[in-house]
Amino acid sequence: MDNVNVINQTATTATVRTYMVISNLPDSNPLLTLTTGTYDTNLEKRGGKWTITRWYIEADGPLAPSELPEGFPPGTVAYVLAPNIAHPDVAIWR
């Protein structure tokens, strides 16, 4: 993650964008970039503390959905196909 930018902020809301690179470093190969993109976050101030109300990833290239850790309630996370990339495994994580 890199370059955390507050795009918009009021006294009770904020929109934040963070740029990302997802990569892999196999034992026998050089660094492999899998995709780039952004983490986009909406926040609200509740009870004097900032709370994430929406967090989603916009990947610039193919990104197969990964398994979620145990304990996520049904409906908490959904994989939505990205309309701008024609690939069956591409998703925006919302």
Side-chain angles (χ1 to χ4, degrees):
M1 294 182 359
D2 187 337
N3 294 335
V4 178
N5 296 296
V6 177
I7 305 299
N8 185 17
Q9 183 175 354
T10 68
T12 58
T13 64
T15 304
V16 177
R17 173 170 280 170
T18 305
Y19 295 91
M20 65 148 181
V21 175
I22 298 177
S23 59
N24 188 7
L25 185 57
D27 291 336
S28 61
N29 293 309
L31 181 68
L32 173 64
T33 299
L34 303 175
T35 192
T36 58
T38 59
Y39 293 104
D40 295 297
T41 310
N42 295 345
L43 301 106
E44 290 181 11
K45 202 167 206 179
R46 297 177 179 174
K49 296 181 181 180
W50 288 102
T51 301
I52 296 172
T53 57
R54 184 170 186 227
W55 184 72
Y56 56 101
I57 297 172
E58 292 185 0
D60 294 329
L63 179 64
S66 58
E67 291 189 27
L68 294 173
E70 190 175 314
F72 274 82
T76 302
V77 174
Y79 289 101
V80 179
L81 292 178
N84 60 331
I85 303 173
H87 190 284
D89 293 330
V90 174
I92 297 174
W93 190 26
R94 298 179 189 251

